Amino acid sequence: MSELLLFDDIFKVEDVDPDGKRYDKVSRIVARSEKCDMYMLLDVNTEIYPMRKNERFLMTLSPSLVLKTKDGPVSIQDKFEYIMHGRLYNITNEGCSKSQLEVEIYASFGGLQLMLRGHASHCVKFVIDQKLFLLLRKLES
């Protein structure tokens, strides 16, 4: 399934609201992925989907909730607990390590922000102004 998605990896929450809590219903989580070693900042509506330090979760970015496979269309939304729809608005390497080929991906989901930083090879499927679904599912520790 992963070749049909833009990105998917397992993340571990390293911190919640590192700069303090700014909004009642939203927290900013800091997480790092296990497979691709990607760094992520993500705003989550924690009133409906609480996130805690050291929790592990699967995060997927997809252009659609229905993937086209050789066996026909497959819905992926039932496999996840939290879904946001938004748009990728920036890809940059400013402020990234020059010794490595790092990029930062920025997306907005109705004002909730995503920043994903890591090696450019993991971000080749992204383009500016691309519509995205961000899907989360917590994993057992």
Side-chain angles (χ1 to χ4, degrees):
M1 179 168 77
S2 63
E3 66 273 359
L4 302 172
L5 303 171
L6 299 171
F7 181 84
D8 69 320
D9 203 344
I10 295 171
F11 284 80
K12 183 175 183 180
V13 177
E14 294 180 342
D15 202 357
V16 178
D17 293 318
D19 298 325
K21 187 119 174 105
R22 296 179 190 231
Y23 302 102
D24 291 338
K25 300 176 182 183
V26 176
S27 286
R28 177 159 288 174
I29 64 164
V30 178
R32 183 157 305 270
S33 75
E34 296 179 359
K35 180 175 61 176
C36 299
D37 194 33
M38 301 290 280
Y39 173 81
M40 177 173 63
L41 295 175
L42 177 65
D43 296 339
V44 177
N45 182 333
T46 49
E47 181 181 53
I48 60 173
Y49 198 70
M51 302 287 288
R52 291 173 182 65
K53 191 173 181 177
N54 295 321
E55 277 187 319
R56 293 173 66 238
F57 61 94
L58 174 64
M59 191 273 289
T60 298
L61 294 170
S62 175
S64 173
L65 293 175
V66 178
L67 301 179
K68 295 179 182 126
T69 69
K70 62 182 179 188
D71 298 326
V74 174
S75 174
I76 60 172
Q77 67 190 29
D78 294 337
K79 296 175 179 16
F80 294 90
E81 303 163 335
Y82 182 80
I83 301 172
M84 295 191 294
H85 181 256
R87 187 174 299 274
L88 190 147
Y89 66 88
N90 195 12
I91 302 172
T92 184
N93 63 357
E94 291 178 26
C96 294
S97 169
K98 300 295 183 196
S99 63
Q100 297 179 4
L101 296 172
E102 280 191 346
V103 295
E104 290 181 348
I105 306 297
Y106 292 90
S108 178
F109 302 91
L112 300 179
Q113 300 293 307
L114 163 71
M115 189 281 292
L116 191 62
R117 179 191 311 133
H119 196 274
S121 65
H122 304 301
C123 303
V124 295
K125 297 178 182 177
F126 294 114
V127 293
I128 291 178
D129 210 30
Q130 184 175 42
K131 292 181 182 177
L132 296 174
F133 286 94
L134 181 141
L135 305 99
L136 301 179
R137 182 181 74 232
K138 292 180 185 175
L139 303 172
E140 299 295 323
S141 297

